[in-house]
Amino acid sequence: MATLAERLPENAPGLFYVDRSCIDCDTCRRVAPEVFAEGEGHSFVASQPETPEGRRRALMALVACPTASIGTASRTDATPGVRAYPERIEENVSFCGFTAESSFGAWSYFIERPAGGSEERRFANVLVDSPRAAGPLLRALEERGGVATLFLTHRDDVADHETFRKEFGCERVLHSRDVTAGTRGVEIQPQGDEPLRLADDLLMIPTPGHTRGHAVLLYKEKFLFTGDHLAWSERRKQLVGFRDACWFSWEEQIRSMERLLDHRFEWVLPGHGTTFHAASPEAMHAELQRCVAWMKRR
Ligand code: SF4
């Protein structure tokens, strides 16, 4: 819970504030960029919201913050922020909000997939990486048909995976090379570097680099859920891999990035960094080529 006594001095005067517990995960700046800005190792309220929509976005950031570092100077009903999640991005793909501190505020996504035959039902609704298992989010997911599959891109963003398993009986997927003591019980542990078709419209693509067992998920050849492998950088105005946060092998990560050139998609939906939507698969391909060339120079 944010505390007024710990309020950062940079905050603009008014209702919303960020306190010293902020871990600089970037979530609030992505959710409400008109309100929150980047400081030295933290975020702060640069401008108080002046419209109902601005206030709703600020409340959404408050709810999504992994460390409860955003507060209000007077008692405020956060319901509009809570009810906003899962927030639709496009078609049946949503952002879950409610990020987890153990995942350093990584973003999780929810795909509402219609159930088909028995095999399809196994991979109906999909959660990509684990959000915080907050009660309002669990209820919202339940109302949308629950979670059949929890796809974990890599070992860092598993957060409350066990709670989701208990709540929904979902099957978890995590590459065997990223399984640790805490994820030993994951139901599906693919091996190797070949793409694995989980369903007609779902392709798991191993992308070692950030970690040994990192993998991305391609949905409908349109949405690529990239975990910590690939993201848009607002500062560089291009797609990037995070060299400073590459825990396994930068060379492997470049090779994994090159292999993504074989696939068509329009959206990059990362755990950290900014979401990117290209005008077409061809435009995305060109951006990805630019990213690979940039990575090789690093
Ligand atoms: S969401 Fe919370 S922890 Fe993350 S940058 Fe904003 S205030 Fe800090």
Side-chain angles (χ1 to χ4, degrees), residues 216-244:
V216 300
L217 183 68
L218 180 59
Y219 173 55
K220 286 206 309 193
E221 296 197 327
K222 181 170 183 179
F223 301 94
L224 189 70
F225 300 92
T226 55
D228 287 356
H229 179 65
L230 172 69
W232 181 261
S233 164
E234 270 308 317
R235 191 164 62 85
R236 295 187 180 277
K237 302 291 180 208
Q238 67 167 83
L239 290 171
V240 296
F242 301 117
R243 178 146 205 182
D244 294 346

Side-chain angles (χ1 to χ4, degrees), residues 18 21-29 43 61 64-67 69-70:
V18 176
S21 64
C22 169
I23 58 171
D24 199 20
C25 74
D26 193 30
T27 289
C28 58
R29 305 194 294 267
S43 289
C65 175
T67 47
S69 303
I70 300 171

Side-chain angles (χ1 to χ4, degrees), residues 7 80 94 119 124 157 178 185 197 252 266:
R7 184 182 185 279
S94 303
E119 182 64 15
D157 294 348
D178 262 23
R197 192 153 289 285
E252 277 288 333
E266 292 175 21

Side-chain angles (χ1 to χ4, degrees), residues 152-156 173-181 183 188-195 204-215 248 252 256 259:
L152 299 164
T153 57
H154 67 296
R155 60 194 296 165
D156 303 336
V173 183
L174 175 65
H175 196 286
S176 57
R177 288 195 293 246
D178 262 23
V179 171
T180 63
T183 48
I188 302 173
Q189 302 182 16
Q191 301 180 351
D193 289 332
E194 287 304 307
M204 175 180 183
I205 307 170
T207 50
H210 172 73
T211 58
R212 293 180 82 93
H214 195 291
F248 172 51
E252 277 288 333
S256 295
R259 285 197 294 273

Side-chain angles (χ1 to χ4, degrees), residues 34-198:
E34 66 285 0
V35 174
F36 298 93
E38 186 173 5
E40 289 289 322
H42 57 256
S43 289
F44 65 98
V45 174
S47 175
Q48 294 289 341
E50 291 179 355
T51 63
E53 178 56 13
R55 188 178 156 115
R56 191 181 76 97
R57 297 299 309 181
L59 287 171
M60 287 174 68
L62 182 152
V63 168
C65 175
T67 47
S69 303
I70 300 171
T72 53
S74 58
R75 197 179 173 85
T76 303
D77 180 10
T79 303
V82 171
R83 289 218 177 122
Y85 295 117
E87 181 196 23
R88 197 172 74 85
I89 296 170
E90 183 163 288
E91 297 180 10
N92 51 349
V93 173
S94 303
F95 163 50
C96 291
F98 294 92
T99 69
E101 184 173 8
S102 61
S103 302
F104 201 75
W107 282 29
S108 302
Y109 302 92
F110 183 57
I111 312 171
E112 288 175 74
R113 292 175 66 249
S118 58
E119 182 64 15
E120 279 294 297
R121 231 184 336 268
R122 189 174 157 211
F123 291 102
N125 289 348
V126 179
L127 195 55
V128 182
D129 285 329
S130 171
R132 190 178 354 129
L137 179 62
L138 294 175
R139 286 191 288 279
L141 296 177
E142 180 68 44
E143 283 165 14
R144 288 162 173 76
V147 179
T149 302
L150 170 52
F151 182 85
L152 299 164
T153 57
H154 67 296
R155 60 194 296 165
D156 303 336
D157 294 348
V158 299
D160 293 335
H161 69 101
E162 285 180 332
T163 304
F164 285 95
R165 165 72 182 170
K166 282 191 195 117
E167 283 287 324
F168 299 109
C170 54
E171 291 193 307
R172 297 160 291 178
V173 183
L174 175 65
H175 196 286
S176 57
R177 288 195 293 246
D178 262 23
V179 171
T180 63
T183 48
R184 201 177 292 133
V186 163
E187 291 70 28
I188 302 173
Q189 302 182 16
Q191 301 180 351
D193 289 332
E194 287 304 307
L196 175 67
R197 192 153 289 285
L198 301 174

